[in-house]
Amino acid sequence: MAIERTFSIIKPDATRRNLTGKINAVFEEAGLRVVAQKRIQMTTAQAESFYGVHSARGFFRDLVNFMTSGPVVVQVLEGENAVARNRELMGATDPSKADAGTIRALFAENIEANSVHGSDSPENAAIEIAYFFAGLEIVG
Ligand code: CMP
């Protein structure tokens, strides 16, 4: 199986509750490696651009406000089938529908404050990684 990279965000609800280490432990125990990571305060412009695909959705403004409400940890995760594997680990977007043991079932507060973001395809992973990281910042 191919070694892949995916993009991940530990969201403001999780950084506020000091859950970065617990969430990283889920990734690492599942065989994903954190090959780049930084804690940043997203600007409104960065969040609007990152979530541009959702700009017509009713939840867009709330989503941007939430993602800029506190620090986030942006990450690159590497491992076998990393995109799909991370999506399994995260669970459904709505934590009330997430399988037991997934990050969102364990930690998320609601569909907006859902603790983590993960790329939905290898193509989007490449775009999202390049949005936040220079190549030299990723050390596999
Ligand atoms: P994420 O994977 O970061 O991508 C878009 C985000 O929009 C999603 O996670 C949710 O946290 C957020 N969101 C807020 N409200 C909704 C909603 N009603 N449906 C889908 N996503 C929502």
Side-chain angles (χ1 to χ4, degrees):
M1 219 174 276
I3 297 293
E4 225 173 41
R5 286 178 176 172
T6 192
F7 178 72
S8 165
I9 305 177
I10 300 177
K11 295 188 179 185
D13 65 288
T15 62
R16 177 169 42 78
R17 288 175 289 147
N18 217 15
L19 293 171
T20 299
K22 283 192 172 146
I23 290 172
N24 276 344
V26 175
F27 296 144
E28 292 184 344
E29 279 160 22
L32 294 178
R33 190 171 288 273
V34 180
V35 295
Q37 173 168 265
K38 56 191 171 189
R39 182 174 169 104
I40 62 168
Q41 171 66 54
M42 251 197 240
T43 65
T44 298
Q46 283 171 336
E48 284 174 347
S49 174
F50 181 76
Y51 281 118
V53 67
H54 297 302
S55 61
R57 308 288 293 273
F59 59 80
F60 180 67
R61 190 46 50 194
D62 279 349
L63 174 62
V64 168
N65 287 341
F66 169 65
M67 291 301 289
T68 56
S69 68
V72 299
V73 177
V74 292
Q75 313 177 291
V76 181
L77 307 178
E78 183 179 87
E80 280 187 7
N81 245 354
V83 172
R85 187 80 188 98
N86 184 36
R87 291 183 73 77
E88 284 170 12
L89 294 172
M90 290 192 299
T93 305
D94 180 348
S96 71
K97 297 183 180 137
D99 288 343
T102 60
I103 292 170
R104 285 166 170 160
L106 286 168
F107 302 122
E109 295 179 324
N110 53 58
I111 194 168
E112 177 177 273
N114 66 352
S115 299
V116 280
H117 164 83
S119 305
D120 62 6
S121 67
E123 295 73 25
N124 282 337
I127 292 166
E128 293 176 358
I129 289 169
Y131 190 67
F132 286 102
F133 290 98
L136 285 172
E137 294 179 298
I138 305 167
V139 183

